[in-house]
Structure formats: structure tokens, C-alpha cells
Amino acid sequence: MPPPADIVKVAIEWPGAFPKLMEIDQVSAQMAQQLHERIQSSSMDMKLDALKDLANSSRDITFAQEFINLDGISLLTQMVESGTDFGDLLSFTLTAFVELMDHGIVSWDTFSVAFIKKIASYVCKSAMDTAVLQRSLAILESMVLNSQDLYQKVAQEITIGQLIPHLQGTDQDIQTYTIAVINALFLKAPEEKRQVTQSQKQLRSIILSNVIRSNKPINDEMAHQLYVLQVLTFNLLEDRMMTKMDPQDQAQRDIIFELRRIAFDVECESNNSGSFEKRKSMYTRDYKKLGFINHVNPAVDFTQIPPGMLALDNMLYFARHHQDAYIRIVLENSSREDKHECPFGRSSIELTKMLCEILKVGELPSENCHDFHPMFFTHDRSFEEFFCICIQLLNKTWKEMRATSEDFNKVMQVVKEQITRALTIKPNSLDQFKSRLQNLSYTEILKLRQSERMNQEDFQSRPILELREKIQPEIMELIKQQRLNRLCEGTCFRKISSRRRQDKFWYCRLSPNHKVLHYGDLEESPQGEVPHDSLQDKLPVADIKAVVTGKDCPHMKEKGALKQNKELLELAFSVLYESDEYLNFIAPDKHEYCVWTDGLNALLGKEMTSEFTRSDMDTLLNMEMKLRLLDLENIQIPEVPPPIPKEPSNYDFVYDCN
């Protein structure tokens, strides 16, 4: 078999390096061969030591390739299927398996039903070694996410009910892996099965009591899995949100009749009660009071998608479960002047659409988001309850604004601001969310807006703009120095692979003289700065040709099949050096991405264009402007300079300073 292209290239351009690479490959091959033989030893002690070494060595991709070439994966799966290993032997076997599969060399589709059954049996057992359980859950998650065929097989072996007991323990890592498997099963499940999966009320209540309200703080990984579960739960609403009402469907029209009956306490008239014209006039009058846009045929109002039938579902839930509030809102508005009434029907439709936008119903979960809301885990019908609170808020805000029908969009903007501000504090319950809204009246929103405007005031008069332009270069130089100082401190980067969770890190930092990038692999995440002398690899800044970002990065082209990772594209950047060599990065977050791309561009003498730079520029520039203009507070600054006075008739005058 010919050597890989990259090795050939190195051999041509760096002849001295080729023997070294060959030596490394030979050592890895010998080590792989030895471990392959040792793990088949009849001595349990020797076998255990070999599996420990294998678990550690499998993190290295060169060794992993050699061991896999010896059909090592098949050997490990046979050991698992035989069921003869247990305890530490099984734990290290599964650890080595997970590490080897993490490199993405072997397809997940190659595993037998017997292996899947064995892994599932470890998860289903009531008492199982923690390490074995954790690895088994990780394997099931990867199987489900990487193969639709494997999802079918895993789903036949394990149910949500069998996973729930693992959430009732105190080990947060086990709880995290368990929720990850539940999310994976739910994500891959066919549409008809998703409803069954999520309808298990026991799951929500156990997560609430044992995870969200436990004494332990929720770590980032758990927060991410809870966020994913929250998103997938709300995505169950997408079907109703995108379903138009059929005006000819009697069952759907009966829901509108039910809204009218509850609001006005009337029984549906029989076909013989009065003339057709009289009944039609009565219906039209009541539908107008209910706030529908189309008074004659309100079914037409629900043909807009989104929110489609979801809006009607919310209205019916509100009318049945909060009947007093529903009747009060309808009757209160029907007794007002036409121009001052808050139309319940139209408001409900637009509010449902707004809530779907706020909660991003129908969107796939983000890879790096941790934004879950505890209050949505406190009720089986949390979206409907959320709507009920917000529709009452809308009616209250309408009255506070003394709005008319022309102000409808303005009211909706204020309501959206009230809701989003209340959500930022992450209320623990729906009642706490409701209390927070009580403190965000229209008057309070105006005060907050005014305060924020004053803090972010952007003066537009010509003298002020000229002053801004004058001091802008020195602010930009200050930002540049800060970016370079941050690069000198360095950053720990994760190595990205097919599995989300892994513990492989590398560190990169700029030398104090800004001439060399030092980088190297780490065994674990560092607690502070990593010294230059511990980073073996160097890249002179003078050799850097360019900085590329996003999908232009070579490691993003390679990982194009890595599912829903739009976020990774936004955090990826690469440094081009030599002719076509790259140093590839995945920033831990958007902040670090901006710092590094800005700093590298500054080193190359290019403009810093990140969002972070623009934000810093605005903040520092506004602060500097306010400090310089402090003495001019409450003084009107003219738009144009004052006129120059006429020249004196003669210059025969003296100004006596005494």
C-alpha cells in the first residue's frame, strides 16, 4: 500500500523528518502488536494491565490506526459479546473501544446486534459499575446519532422507562449521559413515535426534582443536554404550527363554536332557532367581540402559517383551563369603544407566532448553547401555560398604553420586550415568571429604554462626529494592544472529533516579542497559563501568509458531514503558512474566536473586523466621549460653529490682561 500523500510531501520537502516519521510509525505498530497479543492473555492480571495501556494509548491516532489495522475493534467487540469480562476488565475494554471509535476511522454501521444487545444490557441493569454504565451510555448515544439503522436496533433494546432510573441517582455525569441518550433517541425517532417518547410525564418530573432542583450546581454539559431536550420538546409543536385550518372541517369549526359558547355562556342554537340571517348576524356580532379579523368566517384567520392551528389550540386551552380570565378579557374588551378594544383573536394569533419565534420552535438545537429555562420543566403543558400568562400580559399592557387598533404593532413590540426581559433572569417557575412580568409594566419599560439610550447615546452633531473621528485611531490602537496581550496569555483549544465529549486539548500562545506562535498538545485542561518552554512546536509570525475563517478552513471542509454544526463553522479559523500548510483552530466560544482572529490580523497588519472589536470600539469610544464632554452636560451644542464677527473698523486697541 503506498504511503499517505502528506507523508510523501513531508519526505520531499523535509527529508530529515521522514526517518523520524517512519520511526514513530514503527514504534506504534510494534506497540499495537504487543497490546493486541497481551489483551488475549489467559492471565487476568496481564490482561487487565494490557487493557489499561490500550485505553491510554488509543487516544493517539497513529497508534489507533495501527491497532485497528490488526482488527483490534473486532477483538474488543468479541470480548464484550462473550460476556466473560466484568468490573475493571470490562470498564477498560469499553474505554479503549470509545477512544478508538472517537477517531472516526471505523464506521458505526459495522457492529452486530449481539454487541448492541450486550451494551444495552449493561444500561438496563439496576446495579452496574459507574464507569461501565457511563461508557455504555456514550456508545449508545454515538450509535443512535451516527446511524439510522443502528437507531432502529438500539430502540428495540432500550426504552425511556429503562433509562429513567439512572436519572434518580446522584451522579451528574451519569444523569448527563442518560439525558444525552434520551435526546438522541428522540432526535432520530420517526414523527409518530416522538409524541409517545415525550409524553411520559414521569421523565419531566424526575428531571425537575433530581436534576434541576438538586443541590448540585448544573454544569455546562448538563445545561446543554437540558437545552436540547427543551428544544426537542417544543419542536413537537411544529406540526400544529405549520397546519392551516380547513374552513370546511366541522371538528375544527366546533372549536371556534366552543370559544364563543364559553365566552358568552350560550348554547349552540339548533338549525330551527330563528332565521338563517338572524343566526348569521348573531354569530358575526359575537366573533367581532372575540376579536377575530374575519367576523363572518373566523376560520380564515387560522390559515396563516405560522402559527396555524397552534394559535387555536392555545385559545381553547386558555378558555377551558383559565375560564374566568378568558371571560373577563373578552367581556372587558367587548364593552370598550371599538377603537380601544384589544382584539383577543388577533392578539392570540400574533402572540402565538411571537412565542414560537422567541422559543425557536422548529429549529434544530444549537451545538454550543446552554440556554435552558427551568420553568418549562415545571408543567406538562408548559407552552400553553406560557401563552396564558402572556395573553393576560398583552391585555394589561394594551390598557396601560391606552392603545387603539392602530397601535397594535407597537403593543406587540412592548410585549415582546417584556417577555424577553423576564426570561433573561431564568425564572425557576411559571409563577416566578409571572411575578417578574408584574414588575415590567409599560412605564418601567419606558424607563429602561430611556436609561439604556442615555448609556448608549450616540451624538450626531458635526462637532461631536469630528471629535469621534479624531480619537478613534487611539482607541483602535488600545484594542489592538489588548488583543495582542491576550494572545500572549494564550488559550486552550479542544480537539474536535465525531463525539462531542472528549478530553483532548492543545494550547497556543504568542511570544512576548510578538514574533513566534508557540503551541503543543496537553494531557488535560490547564488551570492557568502554560509556559512557553512546555510548548514544543513553533510557528514564526513572519511565515504566516493569511488567516482564513469558517468554511474556507481545511478542517471544516473535512468535517462537512459532521451534522448540524453551523456553530463550529462560526468558531473555526486557520493560519496559512509556507505554501499550503495550515494550523487549524476551533475557538471555545465566540469571544475567543474574535480575540484570536483580531490578534492574528493585527499581527499581519490587517484591519480588525470582528463583532467584538466593533462592540469594544463603541463602548470605549462612547465612554471617552462622555468623559471629554462631561463639562458640557445640559449645554446645547450647536450644529454649526458660531459666525465670525465682522472685522473692527481699526486695529488700534490693546487688551490689558491686568
Side-chain angles (χ1 to χ4, degrees):
M1 185 175 71
D6 55 347
I7 294 181
V8 173
K9 183 177 183 301
V10 171
I12 295 171
E13 296 186 5
W14 300 89
F18 190 68
K20 199 73 176 175
L21 287 171
M22 293 296 292
E23 183 181 334
I24 292 172
D25 285 344
Q26 288 172 3
V27 170
S28 296
Q30 290 172 4
M31 190 174 174
Q33 182 67 48
Q34 290 171 3
L35 285 175
H36 190 273
E37 294 171 0
R38 286 170 57 200
I39 62 175
Q40 299 178 72
S41 171
S42 57
S43 168
M44 287 299 176
D45 290 339
M46 186 179 292
K47 190 174 186 177
L48 179 59
D49 289 339
L51 286 169
K52 285 182 182 178
D53 292 341
L54 179 62
N56 289 326
S57 302
S58 296
R59 297 178 181 180
D60 180 72
I61 190 168
T62 306
F63 169 85
Q65 182 70 66
E66 295 294 340
F67 188 79
I68 290 169
N69 289 343
L70 296 172
D71 213 13
I73 292 284
S74 296
L75 178 59
L76 293 179
T77 55
Q78 287 167 15
M79 292 167 62
V80 172
E81 288 174 20
S82 68
T84 55
D85 292 339
F86 51 88
D88 287 343
L89 284 171
L90 180 58
S91 173
F92 286 114
T93 301
L94 294 179
T95 302
F97 176 84
V98 168
E99 292 293 344
L100 290 168
M101 292 301 298
D102 189 30
H103 296 295
I105 300 170
V106 178
S107 170
W108 283 95
D109 286 309
T110 58
F111 298 107
S112 65
V113 175
F115 179 72
I116 298 170
K117 285 178 179 288
K118 204 68 184 175
I119 296 296
S121 71
Y122 298 145
V123 172
C124 295
K125 285 181 181 177
S126 56
M128 178 53 64
D129 179 74
T130 301
V132 172
L133 177 58
Q134 192 179 91
R135 302 297 183 275
S136 299
L137 289 166
I139 292 169
L140 289 180
E141 182 198 4
S142 295
M143 283 181 172
V144 172
L145 289 177
N146 284 281
S147 168
Q148 189 65 35
D149 183 50
L150 282 181
Y151 157 74
Q152 301 284 354
K153 295 174 181 176
V154 171
Q156 290 172 5
E157 300 299 326
I158 197 163
T159 64
I160 301 299
Q162 291 169 315
L163 291 169
I164 282 177
H166 299 312
L167 297 173
Q168 296 173 310
T170 57
D171 190 321
Q172 191 170 112
D173 287 336
I174 295 296
Q175 291 174 328
T176 304
Y177 277 89
T178 302
I179 297 177
V181 174
I182 291 172
N183 287 337
L185 288 169
F186 179 45
L187 192 62
K188 292 289 184 177
E191 194 67 37
E192 64 275 7
K193 287 190 177 181
R194 291 185 183 181
Q195 301 290 344
V196 177
T197 303
Q198 289 301 314
S199 66
Q200 300 195 29
K201 299 176 182 178
Q202 186 186 7
L203 175 62
R204 180 197 61 77
S205 61
I206 286 176
I207 288 176
L208 180 64
S209 57
N210 291 276
V211 178
I212 297 174
R213 291 181 176 172
S214 69
N215 296 326
K216 293 182 180 179
I218 294 176
N219 59 35
D220 285 348
E221 186 59 38
M222 173 61 84
H224 171 74
Q225 295 300 340
L226 291 172
Y227 152 78
V228 172
L229 183 58
Q230 172 186 293
V231 171
L232 296 177
T233 303
F234 284 137
N235 281 357
L236 294 174
L237 304 169
E238 184 182 12
D239 182 55
R240 294 294 284 174
M241 180 181 78
M242 301 305 293
T243 300
K244 293 182 179 182
M245 185 172 186
D246 180 3
Q248 307 304 319
D249 189 320
Q250 188 59 44
Q252 295 179 358
R253 294 175 64 188
D254 286 345
I255 299 176
I256 298 176
F257 292 151
E258 178 74 356
L259 290 173
R260 173 178 174 266
R261 185 194 65 76
I262 295 173
F264 304 113
D265 194 24
V266 296
E267 295 298 330
C268 291
E269 294 81 359
S270 64
N271 292 332
N272 299 324
S273 59
S275 66
F276 172 77
E277 290 299 327
K278 183 179 179 181
R279 282 187 286 111
K280 183 178 178 182
S281 172
M282 187 165 49
Y283 284 160
T284 301
R285 180 199 64 200
D286 289 348
Y287 291 149
K288 185 175 184 298
K289 289 180 180 179
L290 281 169
F292 290 111
I293 298 173
N294 192 314
H295 306 151
V296 178
N297 185 10
V300 177
D301 290 9
F302 299 98
T303 55
Q304 172 195 351
I305 54 170
M309 288 295 292
L310 185 59
L312 188 57
D313 295 342
N314 283 339
M315 293 168 70
L316 183 62
Y317 182 90
F318 181 50
R320 285 178 172 172
H321 294 83
H322 300 270
Q323 195 172 105
D324 291 344
Y326 167 69
I327 293 172
R328 184 178 67 252
I329 286 177
V330 173
L331 296 184
E332 188 179 272
N333 285 292
S334 62
S335 63
R336 293 180 186 169
E337 296 179 50
D338 284 352
K339 68 174 185 177
H340 283 289
E341 67 178 0
C342 176
F344 173 72
R346 181 187 177 191
S347 298
S348 297
I349 293 168
E350 291 301 319
L351 179 63
T352 301
K353 183 179 178 182
M354 179 201 295
L355 297 183
C356 289
E357 290 172 359
I358 291 173
L359 298 177
K360 299 181 179 178
V361 174
E363 295 184 20
L364 282 173
S366 167
E367 179 68 18
N368 295 310
C369 187
H370 311 113
D371 189 26
F372 85 97
H373 294 277
M375 73 177 190
F376 292 129
F377 290 84
T378 62
H379 201 284
D380 292 323
R381 304 287 295 275
S382 59
F383 184 81
E384 289 87 343
E385 288 292 326
F386 185 46
F387 168 84
C388 294
I389 293 171
C390 294
I391 192 66
Q392 294 177 75
L393 166 73
L394 193 154
N395 190 61
K396 173 175 170 283
T397 302
W398 184 282
K399 289 189 290 185
E400 290 172 348
M401 293 178 67
R402 298 180 181 177
T404 63
S405 54
E406 288 80 10
D407 301 319
F408 185 86
N409 291 332
K410 291 180 182 177
V411 175
M412 295 303 294
Q413 289 173 3
V414 173
V415 169
K416 185 174 184 178
E417 187 173 345
Q418 290 170 315
I419 294 169
T420 51
R421 285 182 184 274
L423 286 175
T424 54
I425 66 166
K426 300 290 181 67
N428 290 320
S429 66
L430 290 162
D431 286 338
Q432 191 176 343
F433 172 71
K434 194 173 182 178
S435 299
R436 173 62 177 154
L437 288 176
Q438 294 295 327
N439 298 324
L440 284 172
S441 63
Y442 175 58
T443 305
E444 183 63 24
I445 291 293
L446 289 179
K447 288 180 182 177
L448 289 169
R449 284 178 175 178
Q450 185 177 7
S451 174
E452 289 169 0
R453 247 195 324 268
M454 290 177 65
N455 290 333
Q456 299 173 356
E457 193 167 2
D458 189 16
F459 299 104
Q460 294 300 321
S461 64
R462 197 175 74 181
I464 302 300
L465 293 176
E466 290 176 358
L467 178 60
R468 286 175 69 92
E469 289 178 11
K470 184 178 180 181
I471 63 178
Q472 193 164 335
E474 58 189 82
I475 298 294
M476 184 59 77
E477 183 62 28
L478 179 65
I479 294 172
K480 175 182 174 182
Q481 291 304 318
Q482 188 274 340
R483 298 293 189 270
L484 294 177
N485 289 340
R486 277 287 294 106
L487 263 61
C488 290
E489 293 174 12
T491 300
C492 177
F493 298 93
R494 280 185 179 272
K495 289 191 173 181
I496 300 299
S497 66
S498 58
R499 280 173 54 242
R500 187 175 190 278
R501 285 183 298 276
Q502 23 70 40
D503 298 308
K504 297 179 182 178
F505 305 92
W506 69 288
Y507 200 88
C508 187
R509 63 181 299 181
L510 180 67
S511 62
N513 62 5
H514 301 169
K515 292 187 177 181
V516 179
L517 284 176
H518 298 262
Y519 62 96
D521 291 346
L522 301 176
E523 290 297 324
E524 58 184 5
S525 179
Q527 299 302 314
E529 291 184 23
V530 177
H532 292 91
D533 52 11
S534 65
L535 301 172
Q536 302 300 319
D537 300 305
K538 298 179 182 179
L539 172 60
V541 171
D543 292 347
I544 298 177
K545 306 297 182 186
V547 177
V548 295
T549 60
K551 59 186 177 182
D552 295 327
C553 299
H555 58 314
M556 287 295 101
K557 293 175 183 176
E558 294 167 7
K559 298 187 179 293
L562 237 143
K563 24 177 205 317
Q564 62 183 122
N565 275 349
K566 176 187 172 186
E567 291 73 23
L568 284 185
L569 281 175
E570 295 175 353
L571 299 176
F573 61 98
S574 299
V575 172
L576 170 65
Y577 62 97
E578 297 300 332
S579 56
D580 59 351
E581 294 292 328
Y582 288 89
L583 184 61
N584 298 319
F585 299 77
I586 297 287
D589 51 48
K590 194 68 177 177
H591 178 272
E592 287 296 320
Y593 170 84
C594 293
V595 165
W596 274 85
T597 52
D598 283 343
L600 291 170
N601 281 323
L603 286 173
L604 299 179
K606 296 181 179 179
E607 188 179 354
M608 299 183 294
T609 58
S610 75
E611 301 171 11
F612 190 35
T613 292
R614 290 195 294 272
S615 174
D616 281 355
M617 173 61 75
D618 289 342
T619 302
L620 293 172
L621 198 53
N622 287 338
M623 189 182 300
E624 182 68 18
M625 291 290 292
K626 287 178 181 179
L627 287 172
R628 295 199 182 195
L629 298 173
L630 203 56
D631 292 336
L632 296 178
E633 191 173 0
N634 296 324
I635 295 177
Q636 184 73 29
I637 299 175
E639 289 293 326
V640 294
I644 299 174
K646 293 180 180 180
E647 291 188 1
S649 57
N650 64 71
Y651 291 91
D652 187 16
F653 57 86
V654 176
Y655 184 77
D656 188 355
C657 294
N658 297 323

